[in-house]
Structures are given as C-alpha cells and as structure tokens.
C-alpha cells in the first residue's frame, strides 16, 4: 500500500486537518474511509496496531490515546511512510500528554508549547473563511478555546452554521467549509476587540505566558472559557493587574478582621483566603514562572511587614498547610518537612513522637514562611529551588 499523492503538512497545522487532506488528496471520501482501510493494513503490519488509529477524526490526536499513545505514534509513523513524508513533521502536529502540570490540571504539549488540556476545544472548531481561501488547512490554534477571532484577518471566527445553528466542527463534517448538515459555512459576526487581542497573543511566540493565566482566571472566577464574554473579562482584569488581585485580597483581609472568631494564630489561612495558593499554581508556565504566585508572595510580604509580631496575634500569624508553604517557598512538601526538622520552621502545635505532618494540616505560621521565603529567595527563582541548608 502506498499513497499516490504526497501531502505536505503545514508547520502550524492541526493533525486532524493534515489527515483529512491526506485522505482527500488521495481520493478517499474523507478520513473515516481512509481509516477503515488503514485499520486492516496496520493490523497486518503489526498486530499491536489493530485499532491504533480510531475511525473518528475527532479522536485521532495522540493525547486521546492515553496508555496506547506509543501505538498511536507508531501507527502515525507508518502513515507517514505510506505518504512518503518525514514522520517527524507529522508527529510535530500532534498534542501529546505532558508530565508538566498547571497546578492540578493536566497538560498537553505540541512542539514548545504546553497548555492546560482543558483549553482544547472538544465539540467544535470555529473557522476563518478568509484563511481557508488563502490556504486550505486548519491551524492548531483554532482548536484553542480562547482563540475566537482571526489574528490575521481581524475578523471573528465562525462558530455556528447559519442554516442549522449547530456548532461547526470540520472533524465531524470532514470538510473545512461545510457544516455536518451539508451547508456551506458563510460570513462571521462582529469583531470582538478582546477576542482579537487574545488571538494575537495565542498565535505569537508568547502564547506560553497566557495559557496558564487563562485557566487560572476561569477557575477562580468560575467562568467558562468558551463563554462569549470570557476574553473581555480576562483582558479587563489583566489591564489593571496586579491591583485587580490586591484589591480582592484586601477585601478578604478586611473581612477576616471584621469577622474574626478565633485568635489569628489559631486560624487557618484557607479559612480567610480559600484555595488562593493552590489555585495560583494553575497560572504556571512550563518554564516555571508564575505571575500569580509572584504577586501573591509580594502581597503577603507586605502584609507581614505591616503587621509585625506583637503580643496579640494578628493577620500575619495565620496558619498555613504544608502544601501551601511549599508553594510559597517554591519547593516540595518533603523539603518543608525537612526545614521543620532542622528548626527553620516552627510547628504551631507540639507533635507526638514520630507523628507525620500531613500536607493539608495547618501547622506553619504565615509570618515564618514569608520570612524564610525572603531569606532564601532574594532573587526571583526560575526553577524549583532545593534549599541548600548549612548541614
Ligand atoms: Zn483569517
Ligand atoms: Zn448546518
């Protein structure tokens, strides 16, 4: 078996788009017809590969394959061989699961870019007609939920079919300019400025800087990235960054003072600020920078400074759990235990002999953690720092 037409991929193309073009160029009705034939052929070459390429285009990307992703890669290499193209060029189009995580969110990566998996569109892929008329392929960034306007043509992407009002998805219709109902996709809506700004950022080499921030903002504001006004809210919030965050934190601080029931040195940090630190981890970039955590740290540095240790406990004496302490110290929970054992950090309660501290037990003073953070991290840390203590 061999394909007669050699289809070259575009560097920014989505894998599904390439496979659909490969099928069409070689006179198949679409991807599913090709996949049907490949299924049998792959199984003959290597019995482990039976079913390694799914029949549905929307399920073909590598990250869908989970444990079987190595078989999926092997199958795609064979497809590249049949098409007489460089396998590396085809594999570079795929999103793969990454070891990196955005806080507790799973990540996928493609070339140099890592994004939270939740930012990939699942049931629709909007399009720009002008782009498709210039070059008939789907760029990968159309698959990103926050990418809603075309950064090249300054026009809103087309999301719905004007005939059946269904969401557009070329992976379902197996045609770039046709809805599943068979109608041609036509004209778009009014350009949204915020969507345009975000589109430019996502298509640039700086996209890494905002993907984590987008998921973080969606989580803390409990918004859906797909909502029409999400990008607008996001842009507004970051236009006044970091005041937007510090104003919110000031409000929580003042509320805690007003509603205080227990002395602050017996109050959990999380009962005042919730999951602030845990959620902040979502805003990470794959090179371990985190704008949100940096801002949170500088907020609490100032809070502790302006509330010095006194006879009566104050807001600087709140209790942090080990997990949050580790994030603020830019280290692991194991290192926090070690800092405790080495008397760098006091524990708020006396422990029983051999008692293990749990990651979620609130035992460390915010003040001490912040002071230690300042002592160790004079310069902004780029990588997860191991504390090198003098022992
Ligand atoms: Zn366009
Ligand atoms: Zn339709």
């Amino acid at each position: 078996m061999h394909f007669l037409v050699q289809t070259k991929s575009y560097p920014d193309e989505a894998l599904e788009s390439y496979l659909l073009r490969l099928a069409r160029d070689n006179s198949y009705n679409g991807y599913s017809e090709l996949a049907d034939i490949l299924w049998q052929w792959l199984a003959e070459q290597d019995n482990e590969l039976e079913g390694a390429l799914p029949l549905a285009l929307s399920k073909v990307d590598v990250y869908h394959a989970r444990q079987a992703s190595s078989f999926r890669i092997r199958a795609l290499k064979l497809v590249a061989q049949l098409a007489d193209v460089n396998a590396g060029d085809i594999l570079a189009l795929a999103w793969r699961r990454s070891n990196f995580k955005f806080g507790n969110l799973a990540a996928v990566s493609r070339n140099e870019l890592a994004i939270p998996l939740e930012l990939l569109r699942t049931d629709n892929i909007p399009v720009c007609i002008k782009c498709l008329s210039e070059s008939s392929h789907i760029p990968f960034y159309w698959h990103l939920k926050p990418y809603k306007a075309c950064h090249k043509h300054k026009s809103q992407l087309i999301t719905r079919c004007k005939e059946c009002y269904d969401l557009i998805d070329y992976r379902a219709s197996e045609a770039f300019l046709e809805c599943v109902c068979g109608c041609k996709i036509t004209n778009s809506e009014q350009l949204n400025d915020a969507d345009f700004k975000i589109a430019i950022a996502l298509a640039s080499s700086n996209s890494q800087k905002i993907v984590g921030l987008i998921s973080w903002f969606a989580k803390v504001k409990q918004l859906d990235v797909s909502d029409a006004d999400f990008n607008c809210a996001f842009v507004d919030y970051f236009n006044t960054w970091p005041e937007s965050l510090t104003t919110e934190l000031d409000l929580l601080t003042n509320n805690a003072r007003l509603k205080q029931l227990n002395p602050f040195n017996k109050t959990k940090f999380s009962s005042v600020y919730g999951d602030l630190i845990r959620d902040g981890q979502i805003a990470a970039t794959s090179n371990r920078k985190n704008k949100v955590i940096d801002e949170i740290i500088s907020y609490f540095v100032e809070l502790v400074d302006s509330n010095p240790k006194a006879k009566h406990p104050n807001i600087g004496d709140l209790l942090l759990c080990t997990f949050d302490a580790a994030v603020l110290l830019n280290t692991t929970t194991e290192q926090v235990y070690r800092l405790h054992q080495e008397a760098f950090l006091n524990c708020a309660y006396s422990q029983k002999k051999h008692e293990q501290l749990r990651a979620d037990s609130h035992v460390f003073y915010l003040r001490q953690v912040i002071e230690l953070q300042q002592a160790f991290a004079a310069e902004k840390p780029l990588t997860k720092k191991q504390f090198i203590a003098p022992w």
Side-chain angles (χ1 to χ4, degrees), residues 257-289:
R257 288 192 175 115
L258 291 174
K259 295 177 186 165
Q260 186 192 354
L261 293 174
N262 294 316
F264 277 126
N265 64 350
K266 297 204 165 24
T267 304
K268 291 177 178 178
F269 177 89
S270 59
S271 70
V272 178
Y273 300 102
D275 293 332
L276 176 72
I277 294 173
R278 186 174 291 255
D279 286 346
Q281 285 209 299
I282 298 174
T285 64
S286 55
N287 59 1
R288 316 262 178 205
K289 290 186 181 173

Side-chain angles (χ1 to χ4, degrees), residues 52-120:
L53 274 188
L55 297 176
L57 190 53
S58 62
K59 292 279 177 271
V60 84
D61 208 340
V62 174
Y63 73 91
H64 288 293
R66 289 180 167 270
Q67 287 85 350
S69 57
S70 56
F71 296 145
R72 180 76 51 96
I73 299 264
R74 207 191 295 170
L76 286 169
K77 281 183 182 167
L78 283 171
V79 171
Q81 212 177 304
L82 293 180
D84 205 11
V85 294
N86 184 338
D89 292 348
I90 307 308
L91 295 177
L93 309 181
W95 287 105
R96 310 177 202 197
R97 285 182 184 265
S98 160
N99 288 332
F100 181 73
K101 285 188 107 187
F102 291 86
N104 57 355
L105 301 180
V108 285
S109 65
R110 182 192 194 274
N111 294 328
E112 300 287 284
L113 177 63
I115 64 162
L117 172 61
E118 62 164 31
L119 291 187
L120 283 182

Side-chain angles (χ1 to χ4, degrees), residues 182-282:
C183 284
K184 254 188 115 54
I185 293 166
T186 53
N187 61 311
S188 73
E189 302 110 53
Q190 182 78 38
L191 178 74
N192 175 312
D193 272 341
D195 288 347
F196 181 58
K197 281 183 182 146
I198 297 294
I200 291 175
L202 285 172
S204 79
S205 53
N206 280 332
S207 51
Q208 188 66 78
K209 287 186 181 167
I210 68 160
V211 286
L213 286 181
I214 289 173
S215 277
W216 169 76
F217 187 72
K219 169 76 184 5
V220 296
K221 299 287 172 189
Q222 296 187 305
L223 295 173
D224 185 337
V225 181
S226 303
D227 284 349
D229 47 6
F230 177 86
N231 285 345
C232 199
F234 179 81
V235 168
D236 280 352
Y237 190 84
F238 281 94
N239 274 345
T240 55
W241 182 265
E243 288 75 27
S244 43
L245 178 68
T246 42
T247 311
E248 290 168 353
L249 295 181
D250 281 342
L251 202 66
L252 295 174
T253 305
N254 291 335
N255 274 342
R257 288 192 175 115
L258 291 174
K259 295 177 186 165
Q260 186 192 354
L261 293 174
N262 294 316
F264 277 126
N265 64 350
K266 297 204 165 24
T267 304
K268 291 177 178 178
F269 177 89
S270 59
S271 70
V272 178
Y273 300 102
D275 293 332
L276 176 72
I277 294 173
R278 186 174 291 255
D279 286 346
Q281 285 209 299
I282 298 174

Side-chain angles (χ1 to χ4, degrees), residues 319-332:
L319 294 176
L320 281 173
C321 66
T322 313
F323 181 86
D324 285 354
V327 175
L328 293 183
L329 291 169
N330 194 27
T331 189
T332 59

Side-chain angles (χ1 to χ4, degrees), residues 337-381:
Y337 295 137
R338 196 160 171 200
L339 287 165
H340 166 55
Q341 283 165 0
E342 301 291 335
F344 281 86
L345 285 174
N346 295 340
C347 183
Y349 304 98
S350 55
Q351 288 167 270
K352 295 188 192 88
K353 214 177 174 190
H354 303 304
E355 185 188 335
Q356 281 282 330
L357 287 177
R358 288 173 28 172
D360 60 350
S361 46
H362 290 68
V363 291
F364 296 116
Y365 295 107
L366 173 66
R367 180 183 312 283
Q368 269 198 349
V369 172
I370 288 295
E371 285 167 352
L372 199 57
Q373 198 278 337
Q374 286 179 289
F376 279 107
E379 82 285 7
K380 287 253 159 99

